[in-house]
Amino acid sequence: MGVPKKRTSKMRRDRRRAANSNLRVAVQVSKCPNCKEPVMPHRACSACGQYKGREVQPSAGS
């Protein structure tokens, strides 16, 4: 198995990641079944706080 001889620098790593960032697909957005606001999948609705039909606690970081 091949092993890199030298460590990849942060600049080279970030440049590679930036070049491949446009290959990612756009985020899917669906509507909240409760309030019909747009919401990302697997996330609680920011408008009504519902996730999978039940009320969830708002996060402390937001």
Side-chain angles (χ1 to χ4, degrees):
M1 191 163 119
V3 179
K5 279 188 181 258
K6 298 197 179 218
R7 181 175 180 172
T8 305
S9 69
K10 293 174 191 171
M11 182 178 175
R12 189 175 292 267
R13 177 200 64 196
D14 293 343
R15 190 183 301 155
R16 181 183 65 245
R17 288 180 182 172
N20 293 329
S21 67
N22 63 351
L23 300 177
R24 295 181 186 171
V25 294
V27 176
Q28 299 293 322
V29 177
S30 59
K31 291 192 176 184
C32 174
N34 189 41
C35 66
K36 308 299 187 242
E37 289 288 320
V39 62
M40 289 173 53
H42 304 281
R43 306 287 194 283
C45 179
S46 59
C48 65
Q50 294 260 330
Y51 180 67
K52 289 192 176 182
R54 60 186 178 153
E55 187 80 22
V56 294
Q57 291 282 43
S59 63
S62 296

